[in-house]
Amino acid sequence: QQPVQSPQAVILREGEDAVINCSSSKALYSVHWYRQKHGEAPVFLMILLKGGEQKGHDKISASFNEKKQQSSLYLTASQLSYSGTYFCGLRAPPSSGSARQLTFGSGTQLTVLP
Amino acid sequence: GAVVSQHPSWVICKSGTSVKIECRSLDFQATTMFWYRQFPKQSLMLMATSNEGSKATYEQGVEKDKFLINHASLTLSTLTVTSAHPEDSSFYICSAREDNYGYTFGSGTRLTVV
């Protein structure tokens, strides 16, 4: 079952903050975040492996709430280069039959305006 | 970092012909690779899991006789779209996972069947 991402789209001005949420109805092992520019392949942003883990790079960070089966991606002081579609990819626990594959959320289209 | 090379980047073919897409892990070995299809403004949908030395595992609704997958070595997986039709036109992306990194995607192949 596909993870649910919200919002579906967001438009903001350069320098503003944004939060993208990803939730699953199934137990999670890890959460992966990707950004995809139009016509290009997705680019890996970060992976969160443990419930409660938070991670960041530059002004993009993410959190993983294993109990709530959800993750959030935080973009602080957005730059024009942040524009793109953001996908969360969820991986099931190793004990499940589909442990090695990622199931992607529906995507969130982020547009940063000057 | 882990690099996945995918070729060709784009291909235009006539209806009824077959097209082969290659996916190579350049600096690591990948016993498992994943093939995705993405239609415009939609998320990545997993088509199949390619396993080195054994048969691929196809997702429900994906015709294994139409989308032939061969994973002959630890660094190469191929997807052949047989008897392609216009409805097969899409963006096909492979990915692989290297132990120390998240899932890395190839650059994608845009297939247009005319």
Side-chain angles (χ1 to χ4, degrees):
Chain A
Q1 192 171 359
Q2 189 177 41
V4 177
Q5 274 186 245
S6 63
Q8 290 186 338
V10 58
I11 300 174
L12 56 159
R13 296 279 179 189
E14 200 172 4
E16 293 182 339
D17 302 338
V19 180
I20 300 172
N21 300 302
C22 175
S23 63
S24 171
S25 59
K26 297 183 179 181
L28 301 177
Y29 178 70
S30 63
V31 180
H32 306 238
W33 284 97
Y34 291 84
R35 176 172 60 213
Q36 184 179 30
K37 302 274 187 179
H38 180 69
E40 300 178 8
V43 173
F44 173 73
L45 294 177
M46 65 185 75
I47 177 175
L48 298 114
L49 294 173
K50 302 174 185 176
E53 184 173 44
Q54 297 182 48
K55 191 176 284 188
H57 181 69
D58 288 338
K59 293 182 179 178
I60 299 177
S61 61
S63 63
F64 177 22
N65 187 321
E66 190 176 11
K67 287 186 178 179
K68 292 185 178 181
Q69 297 172 180
Q70 59 186 218
S71 175
S72 296
L73 184 72
Y74 307 92
L75 299 102
T76 307
S78 298
Q79 305 170 18
L80 295 177
S81 61
Y82 286 4
S83 292
T85 301
Y86 289 78
F87 293 99
C88 62
L90 306 183
R91 190 179 169 195
S95 56
S96 72
S98 56
R100 289 184 293 179
Q101 66 197 43
L102 285 182
T103 303
F104 287 93
S106 48
T108 296
Q109 186 172 352
L110 181 81
T111 304
V112 181
L113 302 175
Chain B
V3 178
V4 174
S5 175
Q6 186 173 342
H7 294 279
S9 297
W10 58 270
V11 57
I12 301 173
C13 69
K14 290 187 176 181
S15 187
T17 61
S18 296
V19 172
K20 180 185 282 188
I21 302 169
E22 293 189 349
C23 180
R24 294 179 186 272
S25 55
L26 296 187
D27 49 2
F28 66 101
Q29 294 182 333
T31 55
T32 304
M33 292 186 178
F34 304 93
W35 287 96
Y36 293 86
R37 179 168 54 185
Q38 185 179 35
F39 292 105
K41 297 187 179 182
Q42 293 187 22
S43 186
L44 296 91
M45 299 305 295
L46 181 67
M47 297 176 65
T49 301
S50 174
N51 305 297
E52 187 269 335
S54 64
K55 291 182 179 180
T57 305
Y58 291 82
E59 295 301 300
Q60 192 172 8
V62 178
E63 300 174 57
K64 60 181 181 181
D65 294 330
K66 181 171 185 61
F67 299 98
L68 301 179
I69 291 174
N70 186 300
H71 196 150
S73 76
L74 287 171
T75 59
L76 173 64
S77 175
T78 61
L79 169 68
T80 301
V81 183
T82 62
S83 187
H85 291 283
E87 58 265 30
D88 297 325
S89 297
S90 188
F91 192 49
Y92 292 85
I93 315 173
C94 67
S95 79
R97 179 178 176 269
E98 200 269 339
D99 286 345
N100 297 320
Y101 298 91
Y103 291 73
T104 302
F105 285 87
S107 53
T109 298
R110 187 161 302 283
L111 171 66
T112 304
V113 184
V114 298

Short mmCIF file of all heavy atoms in Angstrom, two decimals, chain A residues 6-33:
data_model
loop_
_atom_site.label_atom_id
_atom_site.label_comp_id
_atom_site.label_asym_id
_atom_site.label_seq_id
_atom_site.Cartn_x
_atom_site.Cartn_y
_atom_site.Cartn_z
N SER A 6 1.77 14.41 2.42
CA SER A 6 1.02 15.67 2.45
C SER A 6 1.98 16.81 2.74
O SER A 6 2.98 16.64 3.45
CB SER A 6 -0.07 15.60 3.53
OG SER A 6 0.49 15.46 4.81
N PRO A 7 1.73 17.99 2.19
CA PRO A 7 0.69 18.26 1.20
C PRO A 7 1.06 17.70 -0.17
O PRO A 7 2.18 17.26 -0.38
CB PRO A 7 0.65 19.79 1.18
CG PRO A 7 2.07 20.18 1.47
CD PRO A 7 2.57 19.18 2.47
N GLN A 8 0.13 17.75 -1.09
CA GLN A 8 0.41 17.29 -2.45
C GLN A 8 1.28 18.30 -3.18
O GLN A 8 2.09 17.92 -4.03
CB GLN A 8 -0.90 17.10 -3.22
CG GLN A 8 -1.73 15.92 -2.74
CD GLN A 8 -2.94 15.68 -3.63
OE1 GLN A 8 -3.39 16.58 -4.32
NE2 GLN A 8 -3.46 14.47 -3.60
N ALA A 9 1.08 19.56 -2.85
CA ALA A 9 1.88 20.61 -3.49
C ALA A 9 2.01 21.79 -2.54
O ALA A 9 1.12 22.02 -1.71
CB ALA A 9 1.23 21.06 -4.80
N VAL A 10 3.10 22.48 -2.68
CA VAL A 10 3.30 23.67 -1.85
C VAL A 10 4.11 24.69 -2.65
O VAL A 10 5.05 24.32 -3.37
CB VAL A 10 3.98 23.30 -0.52
CG1 VAL A 10 5.32 22.62 -0.74
CG2 VAL A 10 4.16 24.52 0.37
N ILE A 11 3.72 25.93 -2.53
CA ILE A 11 4.43 27.04 -3.17
C ILE A 11 4.89 27.99 -2.09
O ILE A 11 4.10 28.39 -1.22
CB ILE A 11 3.52 27.78 -4.19
CG1 ILE A 11 3.04 26.82 -5.28
CG2 ILE A 11 4.29 28.94 -4.82
CD1 ILE A 11 2.02 27.43 -6.23
N LEU A 12 6.15 28.32 -2.11
CA LEU A 12 6.64 29.26 -1.11
C LEU A 12 7.69 30.18 -1.71
O LEU A 12 8.19 29.95 -2.83
CB LEU A 12 7.22 28.51 0.10
CG LEU A 12 8.33 27.50 -0.09
CD1 LEU A 12 9.07 27.30 1.22
CD2 LEU A 12 7.77 26.15 -0.53
N ARG A 13 7.99 31.23 -0.99
CA ARG A 13 9.00 32.19 -1.41
C ARG A 13 10.36 31.77 -0.90
O ARG A 13 10.48 31.11 0.14
CB ARG A 13 8.66 33.57 -0.86
CG ARG A 13 7.35 34.16 -1.38
CD ARG A 13 7.53 34.78 -2.74
NE ARG A 13 6.30 35.34 -3.27
CZ ARG A 13 6.17 35.78 -4.51
NH1 ARG A 13 7.20 35.73 -5.34
NH2 ARG A 13 5.02 36.27 -4.93
N GLU A 14 11.35 32.18 -1.61
CA GLU A 14 12.73 31.92 -1.18
C GLU A 14 12.92 32.42 0.25
O GLU A 14 12.50 33.52 0.61
CB GLU A 14 13.68 32.68 -2.13
CG GLU A 14 15.10 32.17 -2.14
CD GLU A 14 15.94 32.83 -3.22
OE1 GLU A 14 15.43 33.74 -3.91
OE2 GLU A 14 17.10 32.44 -3.38
N GLY A 15 13.50 31.55 1.08
CA GLY A 15 13.73 31.92 2.47
C GLY A 15 12.67 31.41 3.44
O GLY A 15 12.90 31.40 4.66
N GLU A 16 11.55 30.95 2.92
CA GLU A 16 10.49 30.42 3.78
C GLU A 16 10.75 28.95 4.09
O GLU A 16 11.55 28.28 3.45
CB GLU A 16 9.14 30.60 3.10
CG GLU A 16 8.71 32.07 2.97
CD GLU A 16 7.34 32.21 2.33
OE1 GLU A 16 6.89 31.27 1.63
OE2 GLU A 16 6.71 33.27 2.53
N ASP A 17 10.02 28.46 5.10
CA ASP A 17 10.18 27.07 5.53
C ASP A 17 9.03 26.21 5.03
O ASP A 17 7.93 26.73 4.75
CB ASP A 17 10.22 27.00 7.06
CG ASP A 17 11.33 27.84 7.66
OD1 ASP A 17 12.32 28.14 6.94
OD2 ASP A 17 11.22 28.20 8.85
N ALA A 18 9.27 24.92 4.94
CA ALA A 18 8.23 23.98 4.52
C ALA A 18 8.41 22.66 5.25
O ALA A 18 9.53 22.29 5.63
CB ALA A 18 8.27 23.75 3.01
N VAL A 19 7.28 21.97 5.44
CA VAL A 19 7.30 20.64 6.06
C VAL A 19 6.50 19.69 5.17
O VAL A 19 5.39 20.02 4.74
CB VAL A 19 6.67 20.64 7.47
CG1 VAL A 19 6.71 19.23 8.05
CG2 VAL A 19 7.38 21.62 8.36
N ILE A 20 7.08 18.55 4.90
CA ILE A 20 6.41 17.52 4.10
C ILE A 20 6.27 16.28 4.98
O ILE A 20 7.23 15.84 5.61
CB ILE A 20 7.22 17.18 2.83
CG1 ILE A 20 7.38 18.43 1.97
CG2 ILE A 20 6.54 16.07 2.05
CD1 ILE A 20 8.34 18.23 0.80
N ASN A 21 5.08 15.74 5.02
CA ASN A 21 4.81 14.59 5.87
C ASN A 21 4.58 13.33 5.06
O ASN A 21 4.07 13.37 3.94
CB ASN A 21 3.58 14.86 6.74
CG ASN A 21 3.77 16.07 7.63
OD1 ASN A 21 4.70 16.11 8.43
ND2 ASN A 21 2.91 17.06 7.49
N CYS A 22 4.95 12.21 5.66
CA CYS A 22 4.80 10.91 5.01
C CYS A 22 4.32 9.91 6.06
O CYS A 22 4.94 9.79 7.12
CB CYS A 22 6.15 10.48 4.43
SG CYS A 22 6.18 8.84 3.70
N SER A 23 3.23 9.24 5.79
CA SER A 23 2.72 8.28 6.77
C SER A 23 2.37 6.96 6.11
O SER A 23 2.04 6.91 4.93
CB SER A 23 1.49 8.86 7.48
OG SER A 23 0.45 9.07 6.56
N SER A 24 2.45 5.91 6.92
CA SER A 24 2.22 4.57 6.41
C SER A 24 1.25 3.82 7.31
O SER A 24 1.18 4.06 8.51
CB SER A 24 3.55 3.81 6.34
OG SER A 24 3.33 2.45 6.05
N SER A 25 0.52 2.91 6.71
CA SER A 25 -0.40 2.08 7.49
C SER A 25 0.31 0.80 7.96
O SER A 25 -0.26 0.02 8.71
CB SER A 25 -1.62 1.71 6.65
OG SER A 25 -1.23 1.02 5.48
N LYS A 26 1.56 0.63 7.50
CA LYS A 26 2.29 -0.57 7.88
C LYS A 26 3.51 -0.22 8.72
O LYS A 26 3.99 0.91 8.69
CB LYS A 26 2.73 -1.32 6.62
CG LYS A 26 1.60 -1.84 5.76
CD LYS A 26 2.13 -2.64 4.57
CE LYS A 26 1.01 -3.19 3.74
NZ LYS A 26 1.51 -3.98 2.58
N ALA A 27 4.03 -1.22 9.42
CA ALA A 27 5.24 -1.02 10.23
C ALA A 27 6.42 -0.69 9.33
O ALA A 27 6.53 -1.21 8.22
CB ALA A 27 5.53 -2.29 11.03
N LEU A 28 7.27 0.19 9.81
CA LEU A 28 8.39 0.68 9.00
C LEU A 28 9.73 0.23 9.57
O LEU A 28 9.89 0.10 10.78
CB LEU A 28 8.37 2.20 8.94
CG LEU A 28 7.10 2.83 8.36
CD1 LEU A 28 7.19 4.34 8.42
CD2 LEU A 28 6.90 2.36 6.93
N TYR A 29 10.67 0.01 8.67
CA TYR A 29 12.04 -0.29 9.08
C TYR A 29 12.93 0.92 8.85
O TYR A 29 13.78 1.23 9.67
CB TYR A 29 12.56 -1.48 8.27
CG TYR A 29 13.97 -1.86 8.56
CD1 TYR A 29 14.33 -2.42 9.78
CD2 TYR A 29 14.98 -1.65 7.61
CE1 TYR A 29 15.64 -2.77 10.04
CE2 TYR A 29 16.28 -1.98 7.87
CZ TYR A 29 16.60 -2.55 9.09
OH TYR A 29 17.91 -2.88 9.34
N SER A 30 12.75 1.57 7.73
CA SER A 30 13.53 2.76 7.43
C SER A 30 12.74 3.67 6.50
O SER A 30 11.81 3.23 5.81
CB SER A 30 14.88 2.40 6.80
OG SER A 30 14.68 1.74 5.57
N VAL A 31 13.12 4.92 6.51
CA VAL A 31 12.49 5.92 5.65
C VAL A 31 13.57 6.59 4.81
O VAL A 31 14.61 7.00 5.32
CB VAL A 31 11.75 6.99 6.48
CG1 VAL A 31 11.10 8.02 5.55
CG2 VAL A 31 10.71 6.34 7.37
N HIS A 32 13.31 6.72 3.52
CA HIS A 32 14.25 7.34 2.60
C HIS A 32 13.57 8.54 1.95
O HIS A 32 12.41 8.45 1.55
CB HIS A 32 14.66 6.35 1.51
CG HIS A 32 15.18 5.05 2.02
ND1 HIS A 32 16.44 4.57 1.70
CD2 HIS A 32 14.63 4.11 2.84
CE1 HIS A 32 16.62 3.41 2.30
NE2 HIS A 32 15.56 3.10 2.99
N TRP A 33 14.27 9.62 1.84
CA TRP A 33 13.73 10.81 1.18
C TRP A 33 14.52 11.11 -0.09
O TRP A 33 15.76 11.06 -0.09
CB TRP A 33 13.77 12.01 2.11
CG TRP A 33 12.71 11.98 3.17
CD1 TRP A 33 12.83 11.54 4.46
CD2 TRP A 33 11.34 12.40 3.02
NE1 TRP A 33 11.63 11.66 5.12
CE2 TRP A 33 10.70 12.19 4.26
CE3 TRP A 33 10.60 12.94 1.98
CZ2 TRP A 33 9.36 12.50 4.48
CZ3 TRP A 33 9.27 13.25 2.18
CH2 TRP A 33 8.66 13.03 3.43
#
